[in-house]
Amino acid sequence: MKTQIVSAGESLDTASKVLIMVHGRGGTASDILTLAPHLEIDGFALLAPQASQYTWYPYSFLAEPKKNEPSLSEALDALDETVKHAVSAGFKKKDIYFLGFSQGACLTLEYITRNATQWGGAVAFTGGLIGDRVYEENYKGDFGKTPVFIGTSDPDPHVPVDRVLSTTAILRKMNASVNEKIYPFMGHTISGEELRLANQWVFNRQGERDESLKV
């Protein structure tokens, strides 16, 4: 499979880090890249894979996984292809970051947890691990204190808070440094506060030094 990847920011030849940005259902790679000016990512190369037909998988992320096949496996392969594109350009995984919104956040969390290692960091705006239940047997590895920010609304029309909480528990069990924030009645959107915390926790690495940012 050949994934269409839209690039922005620094070129892979000159960048110090890579951010893989994953759009939501009905969105585009170009859409998710519009968040870049709000992020503290100077010196980053930006890679945004494009989903076929503008969706990563057809049904809710809470559906039984086989119902979303083969699209789910193809979507995970698209992220893996994007990671390999960065690695082939000379980047180590500790210098590769992820950001996703909604369906893209779910896919991001599913990918990094199936492939846990010391990534640079990850941001999930409204998402959780994929499936009708949490398939803990699918997840292996050690995040090595990778900083992860997860923000969501309570309630959210697509992502139940219970799934966000269980996702955070799995990531912490696998040695991720997670900052989870739940906002009452925020709606299915990305807030300025979430962007601020994502920058603090993930992109400028204060999350490794200042646990008080969780409060």
Side-chain angles (χ1 to χ4, degrees):
M1 181 181 68
K2 182 64 174 176
T3 301
Q4 178 189 353
I5 301 173
V6 179
S7 301
E10 292 287 326
S11 73
L12 289 172
D13 293 334
T14 59
S16 59
K17 297 181 174 75
V18 174
L19 173 60
I20 296 171
M21 303 182 74
V22 189
H23 68 78
R25 187 187 298 271
T28 66
S30 297
D31 289 340
I32 196 71
L33 285 169
T34 63
L35 287 177
H38 304 284
L39 304 172
E40 295 176 11
I41 49 173
D42 289 345
F44 279 64
L46 310 181
L47 301 177
Q50 175 63 54
S52 175
Q53 305 300 314
Y54 308 102
T55 187
W56 294 110
Y57 42 84
Y59 300 107
S60 165
F61 86 109
L62 296 171
E64 192 175 1
K66 66 181 182 181
K67 189 173 182 182
N68 274 315
E69 294 293 359
S71 297
L72 176 57
S73 290
E74 291 170 353
L76 291 166
D77 286 345
L79 262 62
D80 197 53
E81 189 176 327
T82 308
V83 168
K84 287 176 178 175
H85 181 55
V87 170
S88 68
F91 290 90
K92 296 179 179 179
K93 289 183 176 178
K94 68 180 181 65
D95 294 320
I96 299 174
Y97 295 67
F98 298 83
L99 179 148
F101 170 64
S102 191
Q103 191 186 55
C106 296
L107 185 62
T108 292
L109 289 166
E110 187 71 16
Y111 178 82
I112 65 169
T113 312
R114 289 192 185 204
N115 300 277
T117 189
Q118 188 181 19
W119 300 103
V123 175
F125 294 125
T126 312
L129 292 170
I130 294 173
D132 53 317
R133 61 177 176 84
V134 174
Y135 288 82
E136 192 167 352
E137 63 270 22
N138 289 339
Y139 310 126
K140 59 184 179 179
D142 186 320
F143 279 108
K145 297 298 182 182
T146 297
V148 180
F149 174 77
I150 303 176
T152 195
S153 175
D154 182 18
D156 180 87
H158 305 292
V159 181
V161 168
D162 283 353
R163 180 55 57 89
V164 176
L165 297 175
S166 59
T167 296
T168 296
I170 292 289
L171 267 65
R172 286 179 174 155
K173 183 177 178 181
M174 297 172 67
N175 200 26
S177 180
V178 185
N179 188 356
E180 166 202 277
K181 296 294 287 186
I182 298 171
Y183 300 90
F185 303 102
M186 180 178 69
H188 197 70
T189 187
I190 300 171
S191 70
E193 170 71 3
E194 286 179 293
L195 289 165
R196 183 184 71 81
L197 286 175
N199 281 323
Q200 287 183 333
W201 192 257
V202 176
F203 296 118
N204 68 20
R205 305 310 294 256
Q206 285 188 38
E208 291 184 333
R209 303 188 302 273
D210 187 1
E211 290 293 316
S212 68
L213 287 171
K214 285 186 178 181
V215 177

